[in-house]
Amino acid sequence: MDSSSFRAIDFPNLGVFVLTVEPPGGTRRTHAANELGRVGISFDFVQGIDQNSADIDRAYSRLLNWALHKRSLTRGEISVYLGHRKIWQEAMSGGLDFALIFEDDFKICNDEQFILAINDAISRRDIWSIVKFFDFNHKNVVDSVKVGATQLVGYKYLASGAVAYLINRQAAQSLLHRRHLFRPIDEDFSHPWEFSMRVWSTSPNLVDEVSFQLGGSILESERCDLRRKKVVIRSIWGNFLQARKLVRSLWYRRASAANVRDTVNAGSRERHGQTYKDA
């Protein structure tokens, strides 16, 4: 596609960021620059938080983690979350209304559809807080809305993954109000009622996660170590937390569905050039 097509679209106050822990010239940086360069998207690299940083110990609450999450977090997971928070803070201080955020192991699946999805989402900024372009292990779809050429879906239980997403200013501010971390970033995304957020995903995924092509997952080995140290009572408590989350997730999705449908249908009546409707 024409690399000028992204710049030709009027994206009000949108920043584009790639989170990385690599030094300049690294394989992942080169890969990310090639992906976004191919579609003509200007962006900034944001250097993540080193796993040995004292910021990790200050940010992480072991007490809240035990009380409200099914397992302990690795230092790598806390580092990643702090990296995303660093981007949100940069976007807020820069006065941006939206941020398009990537982790450095992303790959755009369809250039044209991806650019259209960004445009479509921002054209209906009133119905979402976060739009995810990639999810692991898709769940059952309970809500679906067509925005321009883009299908947005709401899963019965929100799927994991924070490889590529759009976030608006209100959602970033709400997430930043949390003083201490106790879940991975994508787990906080899957508790939207705690932040008064609406989280949607594109269907199908418009971005893929390709860490295996770039030397492997940075976090997986730490997670495997944690699994080997499983504590039985923690597992039982984790099952209870998971069940409570699933019930709350379904209730929250159903409670917000009618409001979203009303908003989209109202927008459909006001716009004559495009059609927005529930699928």
Side-chain angles (χ1 to χ4, degrees):
M1 74 183 301
D2 182 357
S3 64
S4 66
S5 59
F6 183 86
R7 298 190 186 94
I9 299 170
D10 181 21
F11 290 117
N13 296 322
L14 169 68
V16 184
F17 305 90
V18 175
L19 177 63
T20 187
V21 293
E22 279 195 337
T27 301
R28 288 170 177 254
R29 280 182 177 249
T30 301
H31 165 79
N34 288 340
E35 284 294 301
L36 294 178
R38 188 181 68 247
V39 294
I41 298 180
S42 300
F43 70 97
D44 293 311
F45 280 116
V46 173
Q47 190 69 26
I49 308 300
D50 188 277
Q51 291 193 28
N52 297 317
S53 171
D55 290 341
I56 290 178
D57 301 300
R58 286 192 290 266
Y60 183 48
S61 171
R62 298 184 188 280
L63 178 61
L64 289 173
N65 172 261
W66 265 88
L68 298 172
H69 191 52
K70 57 189 176 184
R71 62 170 179 80
S72 300
L73 299 193
T74 68
R75 294 187 71 84
E77 287 174 319
I78 303 167
S79 170
V80 167
Y81 201 153
L82 288 177
H84 283 267
R85 287 174 66 91
K86 183 178 179 180
I87 292 175
W88 302 338
Q89 289 165 340
E90 185 171 327
M92 296 303 96
S93 63
L96 299 175
D97 291 328
F98 308 96
L100 176 60
I101 300 173
F102 301 89
E103 295 177 350
D104 61 8
D105 54 357
F106 75 97
K107 181 176 179 59
I108 299 171
C109 299
N110 183 303
D111 295 353
E112 185 173 2
Q113 287 184 7
F114 180 64
I115 298 301
L116 284 172
I118 298 169
N119 185 44
D120 289 338
I122 292 182
S123 75
R124 288 312 311 265
R125 65 198 74 179
D126 53 336
I127 68 169
W128 57 269
S129 305
I130 293 173
V131 175
K132 299 175 66 180
F133 300 103
F134 171 81
D135 288 298
F136 289 104
N137 302 322
H138 294 172
K139 314 300 181 184
N140 292 334
V141 172
V142 294
D143 289 319
S144 181
V145 62
K146 191 70 174 290
V147 179
T150 303
Q151 191 75 36
L152 298 180
V153 298
Y155 295 114
K156 184 177 181 181
Y157 311 121
L158 288 173
S160 58
V163 174
Y165 62 94
L166 264 173
I167 185 169
N168 67 21
R169 184 177 186 87
Q170 292 73 26
Q173 288 174 329
S174 184
L175 285 157
L176 286 169
H177 283 158
R178 175 158 285 172
R179 293 183 58 190
H180 292 100
L181 309 183
F182 53 88
R183 301 188 190 109
I185 178 174
D186 51 357
E187 275 291 312
D188 266 353
F189 285 0
S190 69
H191 289 73
W193 52 89
E194 295 180 357
F195 306 97
S196 299
M197 300 189 308
R198 293 176 180 167
V199 182
W200 294 88
S201 299
T202 58
S203 180
N205 281 345
L206 299 179
V207 170
D208 198 5
E209 187 265 0
V210 292
S211 60
F212 65 93
Q213 296 178 13
L214 301 169
S217 171
I218 295 173
L219 302 178
E220 190 56 34
S221 62
E222 288 183 320
R223 288 171 176 159
C224 288
D225 289 341
L226 275 182
R227 293 186 192 109
R228 287 193 288 268
K229 300 174 183 177
K230 185 181 294 185
V231 178
V232 173
I233 191 170
R234 185 77 187 267
S235 298
I236 295 172
W237 179 242
N239 290 336
F240 167 77
L241 291 175
Q242 186 69 4
R244 186 179 69 170
K245 171 190 170 182
L246 297 182
V247 170
R248 186 64 189 273
S249 178
L250 183 57
W251 175 86
Y252 187 79
R253 175 58 67 182
R254 287 177 173 172
S256 63
N259 186 32
V260 171
R261 280 194 295 270
D262 290 344
T263 301
V264 172
N265 290 335
S268 182
R269 290 191 294 269
E270 294 172 2
R271 293 168 172 82
H272 302 290
Q274 290 178 299
T275 300
Y276 304 91
K277 64 179 182 177
D278 273 338

